[in-house]
Each structure stands twice: as C-alpha cells, then as structure tokens.
Amino acid sequence: MTREEYADLLLPNIKHDAEYYENLYPERDLKEGAIVTRYAPSPTGFVHIGALYTAFISSKMANQTDGVFFLRIEDTDQKRSIDDGVNKIIEDLAKFDINFDEGVTKEGDKGNYGPYTQSERKEIYQAYAKKLIIEDKAYPCFCTEEESSQDREIQSKNKERLGYYGKWAKCRNLSIEEVIQRVNNGEKYIIRLKSTGDFNKKFTFKDCVKGKSELPENDEDFPIIKSDGLPTYHFAHAIDDHLMHTTHVIRGDEWYPSVPKHTQVFVMLGFKVPKYAHISPLLKEDNGTRRKISKRKDPEAAVSFYHEKGIPNEAVMLYLETVANSNFEMWLEQNKDKDPKEFVLDFKKMSTGGTMFDYDKLINISKNYISKLKAEEVYNLALEHAQTYNQDFAELLKQYKDYSIQIFNIEREQKKPRKDIAYFSDVQNQIWYMFDELFKPENYEWQNIKDKKEIELILNIYLNEYYDSSDDKDTWFNKMKELAEKLGYAGNMKDYKENPDNYKGNITDISMVIRVALTSKSMTPDLYDIMRLLGTDRMKKRVEMALQ
Ligand code: GLU
C-alpha cells in the first residue's frame, strides 16, 4: 500500500488535495503593511467584554492599515453552538460599530476566502491532514478517552508532565499493517501530529504585544483531527489563517502558551508563520486577588449588560481604547475636535500583564460623553433605551417629546454642561419629578428651613408677590434676593459670611425651600429653567401639595 492509499484509508472520500486549495486562495492584493486579521468566535451568542475588546483592537488594526478584518465562525466544538448565535454576535458587535469587511454575514458568506465557518471546511482540513500523513508527519491514534485519562492519572501521580508525548505517545509507532487491521475492524481513531519538538529546548518568537518570548518547544503529539472528522482548534487555526492570508493573529492571552504548537503546524505544513498579538485580559479584584472578568461571576462580562444599563456604545468603546493604549486619553484631550477613529493604536503600547477593569472610570466616561450630546440626541437615546427596558417611561417621553427635550436641554450645550445622567437606565431616576404622572408629594428633602410656617410664608409671598413667568434670569434672581432680604435672610453670601448672626439664613435657604417645594428634591438642575418648564399653574399646584 502506498502512503497515498494509506492516507486515503484513514481519511476517505476527500475530493481535493492541499495543492488544490493553495491555488484556490491566492495571495491578497494589499498594500505593504496592511494587516489582515479576524475575529473568530464560537457561535455561543455571547459576547464577552474581553472578546469585544480584542475584536475592537483587531478591527482597528486592520482599518488603520487599510487591511482586512473578517469574521470566522469556529464551531468545531458543536456543544458550544446555539441557534442564532452567529447573528447575535454580529448584531452585538455592530452596535459597537465593529463591522467586518469579509466573512460570515447575516446574508451568508462575503469574500473570496470562504467558507468562513469551520464546520463547512471539514474537507479542507482533512486534505491537509492527509498531506501530513503522507509525509509521515501525522498518524492515527486509537487510544480511548479512558486510556488517556488513566495515563494522565499515572503522570500526575509520578509528578510527570501531563500529555501525549515520548513514551506516552503509544500509537506513534504502530505499524502500517496494525493500523490497517484496526481500521478494518472498525476501531475509532483520531489523527495526531507527529511532533518533532523537544520540551527541553527553547522556542523563541516575537509577540507583537509581549515582545520577545520564550516558551518550551512542543513535544506533544496533539490531536489535529477528532474522531468526528472535525479539526481541533490548533489545527484549524493554522489551516484557516494560512488560506485566508491572515497576517496577524490577534487573540486572547489564553492562547499564548499554545504558540509553539501552532507554529509547529505552520512549519510542518510549509506555511509562513503569521505574527501573533496576544491581548492581555481585563481583570477584576476579588478578595484581594486579581482574576479575569468572568462570565459566570460578573454581570459586566456580557456586553448585553451595557445595553441594559444604557451606557452608550461609544462610551464603552472610548473606555476600551483608553485600556488598549494609555496615551489615548491624552491624545483625546489634545485633539478634542477630532474623531477618536483617527487615533492610531500601537501594539507596543498595550499592557502585557492585564488591566484592571475600572467600572467607575467607564461610568465617568459615559457621563462625560452624554453631557456633550445635544438634548435631542439624549432624548432619542433615552427613548430608545426606555422602549426596551422601561415602557411606561417611554410612553411619557413620547407623549411629552418637546417638553422632555427641554428638560434635557437644561444646562446643556455650555462650557461646563450638566453631568447628571451617567447612563440611560438612570434617566427616569433623574427627571421623574418633572412629570406630574410620576410626581409624588412625599419624601420632601427640606434642608435648613424645616419650620412649616416659615416654609408657607416664603412660598406664598414668593408666588403671589414675586414670581413672574416672563422675568429673565437676572430679574428672577434679583427678586429672589429681594425676597430673602425682606424676610430677614442675607441676599448675598458675602454679607452672610461676614455677619451670620444678623440673619435668619441666606438666599440659598430661600431658593432651597422653593426647589424642594416644587420637586421634593434638594438637588436638581437649574431652578429657573425648572420653573419655566413647570409653568405657573403647575408650580402653584406643587406648592399646595408641599404645604399639605
Ligand atoms: N475560537 C477561538 C476562541 O474563541 C479563537 C481564538 C483565535 O482568535 O484564534 O478563543
């Protein structure tokens, strides 16, 4: 039996050989330095914040070099696939403005290097596995799961390195005759790489993020094709990234230790090895130790969390960019008018260890971002959020559209805009008292002046003798001063500070009484604007309610 026939027996019914695929996917015609990279999730439908971070870096790297960013679905572990998982991933990323030039789309594959879903590439992987078998660089293994786990037990008892290598690689030297016999007997098998590595030797490479790296060579005969005929990640990665002409494999840090394995596949197949960039994880402090943000433990691990919370996607991306390159914040400060897209990301400025996920900082960025939006934009985003998560409130926003926009417009579009909204799920909480439907005459936050008679006196005089809805802000303020002085309060803070004993209090006590009477809250945006929006009739009703 020739080696070709032998390979055919092990992986039958393959139409094409490796050479065929080499010709099918020619080099890309791109300019020098263009980065071709990909996002390669399993179709679980779940986008982890760490994955979003990596996808963002990958997409930006491709964009800023006029390269290609494509989506490849890694579904060879069928247990991890869910229906509609791919669409969910595409939608979630699109919300963060991460779009693909090529690969899997909702309408099918786009691009000349497909199929882009691994389960549809079974024949391709097998063609390359066959090539390795023919060249005696791969072999079938009949060891059962039980045998392997027994071996692992012995290895750990003897404090030996775990794995299928050296004397533990039991099927490595089976004779062709024995293999043929066992295959004909219907025994199940997988295909393993015949490793040429030596664990005691060092394998060195340059990681784009971590720099010069040194790991032990791989001597494990790891599986490349599983018993269901599908490839392992290790094998599929090499074939796909070779045929799709990926220049940079940008991926999570957890794959870093596998580089010797992966490089071995590239080399044994005669492929050019791509550049690797391992992105360090986002960390959290947990009981004094640092750990990766976890899908199981942390709600903020899922990107859906940010949608529910109503943190604008742009704010999340700005935050991730500050994590990616610490000089981004400074750049933004110095380039206020520029689009953050113009910032050039640099692998060398990325953290090599891991970065603490700073939720407070994210919220701060979100607050600043929202404070710079126009009132109408805030309205639209608040409405969009409420329509999904708070329908009653959405109805109010729709019913009182112009009024709501005016509320959002208070202290907006000025040098120091108001920063009360940190995320959109908090909007109702910030402005409920402006809607009669939500206003409840309770929990009044009276401050210095608590005496009912005094409160009544201030409010009555103010409404009957002073307030005029046509006053401009200065007149309004001067009247407030006059009222304060008439009732024995200091009209300005300087007088009050010099002689506090001469007064019952000062102008802020007066305005506080009015503020609390109208809104029940002691902290609100500009009182003058609030009064104008409430209008005289509603103000009178609110005062009546407060006095009861
Ligand atoms: N499917 C792998 C993962 O989700 C992809 C890693 C890679 O980008 O190569 O971790």
Side-chain angles (χ1 to χ4, degrees), residues 7-64:
D8 241 355
L9 174 79
L10 295 171
L11 296 167
N13 307 322
I14 313 275
K15 279 202 292 288
H16 302 293
D17 61 5
E19 214 182 304
Y20 168 84
Y21 293 110
E22 293 296 316
N23 294 327
L24 195 59
Y25 304 110
E27 286 289 342
R28 293 169 182 273
D29 185 18
L30 293 168
K31 72 167 206 208
E32 176 88 24
I35 289 182
V36 178
T37 191
R38 75 291 190 281
Y39 179 55
S42 297
T44 58
F46 181 89
V47 180
H48 188 284
I49 182 77
L52 175 68
Y53 176 55
T54 307
F56 160 68
I57 291 172
S58 310
S59 105
K60 179 135 187 169
M61 284 296 177
N63 284 335
Q64 75 188 23

Side-chain angles (χ1 to χ4, degrees), residues 38 40-42 72 74 80 233 237 241 249-251 254-255:
R38 75 291 190 281
S42 297
R72 180 170 74 223
E74 307 212 325
R80 295 180 64 205
Y233 167 72
H237 147 52
D241 283 319
V249 174
I250 303 172
R251 63 183 179 185
E254 67 275 18
W255 293 110

Side-chain angles (χ1 to χ4, degrees), residues 360-378:
D360 294 340
K361 182 162 182 178
L362 167 59
I363 293 302
N364 213 20
I365 290 178
S366 177
K367 221 184 234 182
N368 279 319
Y369 177 80
I370 296 174
S371 78
K372 287 183 193 133
L373 297 175
K374 297 212 165 29
E376 185 143 5
E377 291 172 312
V378 178

Side-chain angles (χ1 to χ4, degrees), residues 526-538:
D526 190 80
L527 185 56
Y528 172 76
D529 290 329
I530 287 183
M531 286 184 180
R532 284 170 61 100
L533 284 176
L534 286 174
T536 316
D537 288 347
R538 286 169 73 208

